[in-house]
């Protein structure tokens, strides 16, 4: 619990009370309520960030400007995910998967670290073993809770953190 | 009014049958007190038997439905936000413009026959200007497009001459090029300060052409006719609708979700569809949603029964590639409006898109 709270406090300080801290709290709260979550995309974080509170008041996290709300929310979500997955005490880990949308029979394929290196360096498709000039376009990032996170979340919820 | 010839009924009905689901067309005809039938063949038969006042009424209704379909129906929509100055400039230019005689005009709102279409080009021609009571102005541009139809024949199905010429072949693929007429529409919503480009018959578009490239072609053509369009053509940046995908699904009061593709936070990729009810409330989907907390849709089709100001069911499909769920700054430049009965339905649906485009 101390580590999670420490992480959030640091996040608040880093972003000077910006929306990132609120996004992180909402995400951690979501993960505490749904511990089966293993696949966190930018879109999921954006949805959680923009979700209205249970009390029906206005959205807790809103972009700072209305110039480009989508981009602003995206950027906020990215910064939050980067922070939560950075360093040894990160609560999320970054993973990569291969999505071949022109092959509807193929489900997204989660890449190992070695496969990611091979894809990026040599452009080799790990499923077919062949060179694919478009392969980098098909690799996308997602985040998953670290092994240690379940314990942290349990303590965080017990401490009243999941609001 | 002389009794319309059976040939005209056939043309009107063919146009409607091609563009409306039969069930929907039947309901529409009944709504307008026109006797319908339970099959397409019977419908054609019934209309050829009409005489006198009944035939006149049927002709009037069919003509009206066809005219509505030209500006509505199923179309891909691109929305361009305008400022006050741009709106006034385009409106002033549109007020002055009058379509000159076009080869497409005599048959309008019906398409030219296949033989007449053969001599036309793929260049858009301005065929009609429509001024609505609200002050909105629409321009209808027609052009020819072609589609390939493929028929596969087994070796045993072809003539002896073909067999002799292609002895070692197992099957034969015959390709027939079919011409069809498109009715692309550009509408200025003056009071809403936006321009809508509606691309006709989007499901017939094949790569390398896309709805987006057709929209650019339409704007390019109009930029030579209408003052104020050239900057839109050059910027080519329609309203980004990416936020609509998730926002419309999560807005539980918005219509019925009839189809969707989504990812669950547990990693799975899913597709769901349901007829005549809301997938959001369907037991299996709702149970799954409750178990995982939320889902991230990347393609959603929503249907509304009666939107404000319009009549009848209309659907909207908006989507993006699955990988866009993980990307920043994803752009969705168009949505598909399905089976809109009239311009009123188009306005209502585009209003939804605009209001949900900010998330």
């Amino acid at each position: 619990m101390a580590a999670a709270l420490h992480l959030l406090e640091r996040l608040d300080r880093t972003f000077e009370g910006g929306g990132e801290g609120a996004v992180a709290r909402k995400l951690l709260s979501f993960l505490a309520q749904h511990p089966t979550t293993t696949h966190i995309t930018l879109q999921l974080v954006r949805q959680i960030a923009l979700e209205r509170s249970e009390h029906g008041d206005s959205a807790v996290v809103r972009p700072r400007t209305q110039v480009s709300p989508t981009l602003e929310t995206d950027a906020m979500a990215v910064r939050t995910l980067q922070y939560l997955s950075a360093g040894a005490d990160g609560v999320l880990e970054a993973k990569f998967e291969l999505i071949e949308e022109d092959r509807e029979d193929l489900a997204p394929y989660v890449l190992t670290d070695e496969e990611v290196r091979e894809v990026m360096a040599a452009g080799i498709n790990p499923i077919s073993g062949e060179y694919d000039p478009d392969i980098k376009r098909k690799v996308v990032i997602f985040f998953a809770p670290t092994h240690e996170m379940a314990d942290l979340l349990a303590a965080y919820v017990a401490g009243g953190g999941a609001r | 009014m002389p009794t319309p010839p059976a040939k005209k009924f056939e043309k009107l009905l063919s146009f409607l049958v091609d563009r409306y689901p039969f069930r929907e067309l039947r309901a529409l005809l009944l709504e307008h007190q026109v006797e319908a039938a339970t099959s397409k063949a019977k419908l054609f038969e019934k209309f050829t038997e009409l005489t006198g006042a009944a035939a006149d009424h049927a002709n009037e209704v069919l003509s009206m439905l066809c005219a509505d379909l030209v500006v509505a129906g199923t179309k891909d929509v691109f929305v361009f936000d305008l400022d006050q100055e741009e709106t006034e400039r385009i409106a002033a230019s549109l007020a002055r413009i009058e379509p000159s005689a076009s080869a497409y005009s005599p048959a309008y709102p019906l398409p030219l026959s296949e033989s007449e279409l053969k001599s036309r080009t793929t260049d858009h021609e301005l065929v009609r200007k429509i001024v609505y009571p609200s002050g909105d102005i629409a321009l209808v541009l027609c052009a020819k497009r072609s589609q390939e139809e493929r028929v596969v024949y087994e070796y045993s199905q072809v003539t002896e001459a073909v067999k002799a010429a292609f002895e070692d072949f197992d099957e034969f693929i015959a390709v027939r090029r079919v011409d069809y007429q498109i009715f692309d529409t550009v509408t200025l919503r003056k009071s809403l300060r936006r321009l809508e480009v509606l691309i006709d018959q989007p499901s017939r578009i094949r790569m390398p052409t896309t709805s987006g490239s057709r929209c650019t072609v339409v704007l390019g053509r109009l930029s030579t006719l209408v003052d104020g369009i050239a900057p839109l053509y050059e910027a080519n940046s329609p309203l980004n609708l990416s936020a609509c995908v998730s926002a419309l699904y999560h807005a539980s009061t918005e219509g019925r979700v009839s189809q969707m593709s989504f990812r669950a936070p547990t990693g799975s990729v899913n597709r769901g569809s349901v007829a005549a009810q809301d997938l959001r409330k369907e037991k299996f989907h709702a149970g799954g949603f409750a178990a995982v907390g939320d889902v991230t849709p990347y393609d959603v089709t929503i249907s509304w029964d009666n939107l404000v100001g319009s009549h009848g069911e209309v659907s909207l499909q908006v989507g993006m590639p699955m990988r866009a769920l993980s990307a920043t700054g994803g752009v969705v430049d168009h949505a598909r409006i399905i089976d809109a009965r009239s311009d009123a339905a188009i306005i209502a649906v585009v209003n939804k898109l605009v209001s949900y485009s900010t998330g």
Side-chain angles (χ1 to χ4, degrees), chain B residues 25 39 132 154 159 173 201 300:
Chain B
L25 176 60
S39 75
Y132 295 104
E154 296 295 323
T159 64
I173 299 169
Q201 302 186 64
V300 174

Side-chain angles (χ1 to χ4, degrees), chain A residues 1-10 28 89-91 152 155-156:
Chain A
M1 179 176 151
L5 288 176
H6 183 59
L7 191 69
L8 289 170
E9 280 166 15
R10 273 199 292 132
L28 293 177
D89 56 352
V91 293
L152 286 171
Y156 177 65

Side-chain angles (χ1 to χ4, degrees), chain B residues 64-78:
Chain B
M64 181 197 73
L65 293 178
C66 287
D68 280 346
L69 258 189
V70 165
V71 293
T74 295
K75 287 190 160 67
D76 278 355
V77 63
F78 295 78

Side-chain angles (χ1 to χ4, degrees), chain A residues 85-142:
Chain A
S85 60
D89 56 352
V91 293
L92 302 178
E93 61 178 324
K95 292 187 169 192
F96 296 87
E97 62 184 344
L98 182 67
I99 299 179
E100 301 215 58
E101 303 217 39
D102 48 349
R103 292 279 312 274
E104 288 195 354
D105 55 324
L106 283 182
Y109 174 78
V110 178
L111 298 163
T112 64
D113 290 348
E114 189 188 358
E115 285 170 332
V116 173
R117 278 194 293 275
E118 192 65 12
V119 164
M120 292 304 170
I124 301 294
N125 184 322
I127 300 172
S128 66
E130 290 170 3
Y131 176 71
D132 179 350
D134 291 330
I135 192 81
K136 289 180 186 173
R137 197 175 52 83
K138 300 172 185 173
V139 175
V140 300
I141 193 170
F142 70 97

Side-chain angles (χ1 to χ4, degrees), chain B residues 41 81 93 108 171 200 209 258 317 323 326 354 359:
Chain B
D81 270 336
S93 184
Y108 185 92
E171 62 181 25
D200 191 33
T209 304
S258 54
Q317 187 238 325
R323 60 176 170 269
S326 299
V354 171

